[in-house]
Amino acid sequence: MHKCTPMAARSNLQQAVPMTFGFKIARLLSTFQRHHERLSQLRPRLLVLQFGGAAGTLATIPANKAMQCQAALAEFLQLSSPDIAWHTERDRFAELSGCFALLTSTCAKFALDVKLLMQTEVGEVSEPFYEHRGSSSTMPQKRNPISCAYISAIAVAVRQHATAMYEAMVADHERSTGPWEVEWIVLPELCSLTGAALKHTQDLVSGIQVHPETMTRNLDLTKGAIVSEAVMMGLGPSMGRQTAHDVVYELCRKSVANNLPLVDLLCTDERVRSAGLSEESLAQLCNPKNYLGLSVEMVERMVRDGKITASDT
């Protein structure tokens, strides 16, 4: 839907170059695809039976029946049989916790972007609208990013819990004196919090309100400076890249100081004119919609490869 909707990419919280909103969302979905792969790969390592007695040696069961008993229990519980006891080798749950931290951090990264794009001065997207949700008790005009705030807070807690799960790996001998019990506290909360973050993120992605007109208006805020890279690259072949950089840098500063469109300054600068670019060519270079790179093509490649559906973008 928005694979061609132009907007400003941002680096260091400043406008960088143009891209499309679909490109931004496709990157998010590509990350979730990697998380899906990680969890799929983790599943057989995680769902493994631990049944071995006091020290994992199966000493209390007759030797000719111990392995069969273990296998039967694993089959009944729909788990894999272990290759060896792992009571104090807690890497399986630590790995799961790490995956949850990665997953919720991706949710939080998207939530952060939405929070920033929802700022009054930016206004390029909005959270899904629910009556009175996000409003202030004293400022009726406000529409706060409530889901984003929840996602961000949850992700912090998940990362902290994941750290505790790594601590629980340091277990003494064959039955630990404390680290194992950390899991009893932390793992249920990890699962609940991760589920909550995913639910909020799903609602956010499916109901996000996009404001293309505002995106276009923000692209024009710098009066062409957002495509100064395109101008520099256009001038580079005739005057050299570094010289082109210095000329465009100087004209960008004049554009800001005098509140003038960059293209007007380019068209009247003798150094630029001597480079042989026509006013029409300079105007094309200064149009943000002409400098989207391969934003659209990359989204289409993901759709073509079946990683996302066309409606997602």
Side-chain angles (χ1 to χ4, degrees):
M1 182 184 301
H2 289 289
K3 71 176 182 180
C4 298
T5 302
M7 67 176 296
R10 292 169 170 90
S11 63
N12 294 308
L13 295 178
Q14 307 294 308
Q15 287 195 3
V17 294
M19 65 175 186
T20 70
F21 185 69
F23 176 72
K24 190 176 191 70
I25 295 299
R27 286 166 30 225
L28 171 70
L29 294 174
S30 177
T31 309
F32 278 127
Q33 177 71 21
R34 293 194 293 276
H35 292 323
H36 183 269
E37 292 173 359
R38 290 184 182 101
L39 290 170
S40 297
Q41 294 163 1
L42 167 63
R43 186 179 180 88
R45 291 194 294 274
L46 179 67
L47 301 181
V48 178
L49 177 71
Q50 167 52 35
F51 175 75
T57 62
L58 289 171
T60 59
I61 304 176
N64 63 337
K65 296 181 179 179
M67 291 297 189
Q68 296 93 316
C69 179
Q70 187 183 71
L73 179 59
E75 182 180 3
F76 178 77
L77 296 175
Q78 297 183 353
L79 298 171
S80 299
S81 294
D83 51 2
I84 197 167
W86 55 272
H87 197 286
T88 49
E89 284 72 41
R90 312 304 289 181
D91 55 287
R92 289 180 168 89
F93 292 127
E95 184 179 6
L96 176 66
S97 303
C99 284
F100 284 172
L102 287 170
L103 184 56
T104 55
S105 293
T106 295
C107 296
K109 182 269 188 287
F110 180 65
L112 175 60
D113 284 358
V114 171
K115 283 190 287 186
L116 294 172
L117 292 173
M118 278 185 67
Q119 291 180 105
T120 305
E121 296 82 0
V122 181
E124 295 183 358
V125 302
S126 300
E127 280 193 0
F129 176 77
Y130 300 98
E131 193 71 29
H132 298 300
R133 189 168 188 259
S135 62
S136 166
S137 59
T138 60
M139 295 169 284
Q141 87 282 5
K142 295 201 69 181
R143 186 172 172 183
N144 294 316
I146 300 301
S147 291
C148 293
Y150 292 158
I151 295 167
S152 299
I154 288 170
V156 171
V158 170
R159 290 194 293 273
Q160 294 297 319
H161 282 353
T163 300
M165 292 294 290
Y166 289 122
E167 292 292 334
M169 287 184 65
V170 188
D172 46 289
H173 297 306
E174 284 63 55
R175 181 80 64 158
S176 68
T177 53
W180 178 34
E181 285 79 1
V182 172
E183 295 177 1
W184 305 355
I185 303 168
V186 170
L187 191 55
E189 289 191 7
L190 265 171
C191 295
S192 297
L193 290 170
T194 299
L198 288 172
K199 180 61 171 67
H200 281 296
T201 303
Q202 180 184 37
D203 292 345
L204 180 59
V205 171
S206 62
I208 192 169
Q209 297 178 356
V210 183
H211 310 303
E213 300 83 2
T214 307
M215 291 177 174
T216 298
R217 185 172 68 243
N218 288 342
L219 283 170
D220 295 333
L221 281 176
T222 61
K223 298 186 180 298
I226 193 170
V227 286
S228 62
E229 181 183 77
V231 177
M232 178 189 70
M233 298 305 293
L235 293 172
S238 57
M239 65 171 60
R241 186 193 179 283
Q242 188 57 51
T243 300
H245 176 279
D246 294 342
V247 169
V248 175
Y249 175 77
E250 176 188 327
L251 295 179
C252 284
R253 288 171 60 87
K254 287 183 178 179
S255 173
V256 173
N258 298 287
N259 196 29
L260 292 172
L262 177 61
V263 66
D264 291 352
L265 296 173
L266 289 166
C267 290
T268 58
D269 188 272
E270 288 300 326
R271 294 164 298 180
V272 175
R273 293 169 66 89
S274 64
L277 293 180
S278 66
E279 292 186 5
E280 181 180 355
S281 296
L282 291 170
Q284 289 296 315
L285 289 173
C286 288
N287 185 345
K289 295 180 181 179
N290 294 333
Y291 199 61
L292 299 174
L294 297 179
S295 295
V296 175
E297 289 81 359
M298 289 183 186
V299 174
E300 290 176 341
R301 181 172 63 184
M302 289 193 64
V303 173
R304 185 172 63 250
D305 292 347
K307 291 188 175 182
I308 56 176
T309 62
S311 61
D312 292 326
T313 58

